[in-house]
């Protein structure tokens, strides 16, 4: 039943998935926040929820416009279920804003497949990435993904190499100018005082161990079952699939190198995994098996908050 319902892309599916996310929100309020209601908390609750709606719109826009999945709701469903797995769903609005910017970057990067206004897309992608790099230098890892998209969809030339760099340094120039005007260049220089450390102890806890195991296992299965069929067909999605797999690798490296881990960085990991799993689920002929997988994800996304 679930597989048949979410195997189609309809407005009612989008609404029901939003309702599912709201249930995660309420669960977080009850279990994590312990009913500590205040005007400040409630305002943040509404603001963050509204920004999540914008994030969801961008997610669906990216995967539908660039045909990263079939015409179904699986990708969006797995993304929201992944958010439900997080220890704290009610995030700060600043955190959600960062992911909105990240999706704006993905929007321009994946749209290179159409080969329209390529230079503008490259500059915009570099610009969004530059803003993210001001927040955390770890986001510069996604520059590899951008150049991979150029290699797969366009061609490597002097312009396609330099234009993203121009977009990338623009926020740095503006930020430097602002700090120079306010005689606070020390803050700018601190951006380059970065020490990368590999520490995965946070992800070895029971809670995130279960979370990552579930998504990594099903992502690996999806890659195993889908890659052969996709690569054997000569179409444009083959290049998008290669880019998605590289996206997954970079997302894993990104969450490993993030300095201050609190679980919210795993949203970066959920973006490619939800799309990859969605590409496998729709190919399952036995709908009972697909229903069982969907039910497993749904049940665990709620149960994990009580059993761990």
């Amino acid at each position: 039943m679930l597989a048949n319902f979410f195997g189609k892309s309809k407005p009612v599916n989008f609404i029901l998935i939003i309702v599912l996310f709201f249930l995660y929100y309420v669960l977080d309020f009850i279990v994590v926040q312990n009913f500590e209601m205040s005007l400040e908390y409630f305002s943040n609750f509404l603001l963050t929820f509204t920004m999540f709606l914008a994030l969801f719109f961008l997610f669906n826009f990216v995967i539908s416009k660039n045909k990263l999945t079939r015409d179904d709701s699986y990708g969006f469903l797995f993304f929201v279920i992944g958010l439900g797995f997080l220890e704290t769903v009610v995030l700060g609005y600043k955190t959600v804003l960062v992911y909105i910017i990240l999706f704006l970057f993905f929007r321009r990067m994946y749209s290179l497949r159409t080969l329209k206004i390529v230079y503008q897309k490259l500059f915009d992608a570099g610009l969004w990435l530059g803003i993210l790099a001001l927040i955390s230098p770890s986001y510069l890892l996604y520059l590899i993904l951008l150049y991979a998209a150029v290699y797969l969809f366009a061609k490597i030339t002097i312009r396609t190499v330099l234009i993203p760099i121009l977009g990338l340094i623009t926020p740095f120039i503006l930020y430097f100018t602002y700090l120079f005007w306010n005689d606070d260049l020390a803050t700018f220089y601190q951006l380059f005082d970065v020490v990368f450390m590999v520490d995965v102890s946070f992800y070895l806890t029971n809670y995130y161990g279960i979370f990552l195991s579930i998504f990594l296992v099903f992502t690996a299965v999806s890659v195993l079952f889908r890659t052969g069929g996709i690569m054997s067909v000569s179409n444009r999605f083959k290049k998008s699939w290669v880019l998605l797999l590289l996206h997954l690798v970079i997302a894993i490296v990104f969450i490993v190198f993030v300095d201050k881990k609190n679980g919210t960085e795993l949203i970066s990991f959920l973006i490619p995994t939800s799309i990859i799993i969605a590409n496998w689920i729709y190919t399952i002929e036995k709908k009972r098996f697909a229903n069982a997988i969907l039910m497993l994800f749904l049940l665990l996304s709620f149960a994990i908050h009580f059993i761990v």
Side-chain angles (χ1 to χ4, degrees), residues 102-115:
L102 184 60
F103 267 110
L104 290 172
F105 164 74
F106 291 144
R107 172 177 173 267
R108 299 309 262 174
M109 183 196 70
Y110 277 106
S111 66
L112 287 172
R113 62 183 288 278
T114 62
L115 294 178

Side-chain angles (χ1 to χ4, degrees), residues 85-145:
F85 268 91
L86 295 179
E87 205 163 10
T88 300
V89 184
V90 184
L91 310 176
Y93 68 91
K94 293 181 180 179
T95 301
V96 184
L97 180 59
V98 169
Y99 282 104
I100 288 176
I101 297 173
L102 184 60
F103 267 110
L104 290 172
F105 164 74
F106 291 144
R107 172 177 173 267
R108 299 309 262 174
M109 183 196 70
Y110 277 106
S111 66
L112 287 172
R113 62 183 288 278
T114 62
L115 294 178
K116 297 178 181 178
I117 55 171
V118 171
Y119 296 148
Q120 181 179 330
K121 290 176 181 178
L122 288 175
F123 182 85
D124 290 347
L127 181 69
W128 293 122
L129 195 58
I131 295 173
L132 290 168
L134 288 176
I135 298 170
S136 173
S138 299
Y139 283 105
L140 288 175
L141 284 168
Y142 285 103
L143 190 60
I144 300 172
L145 194 61

Side-chain angles (χ1 to χ4, degrees), residues 203-218:
Y203 303 130
L204 297 179
T205 60
N206 290 335
Y207 192 98
Y208 285 108
I210 294 174
F211 170 82
L212 287 171
S213 296
I214 290 293
F215 275 88
L216 283 173
V217 166
F218 279 95

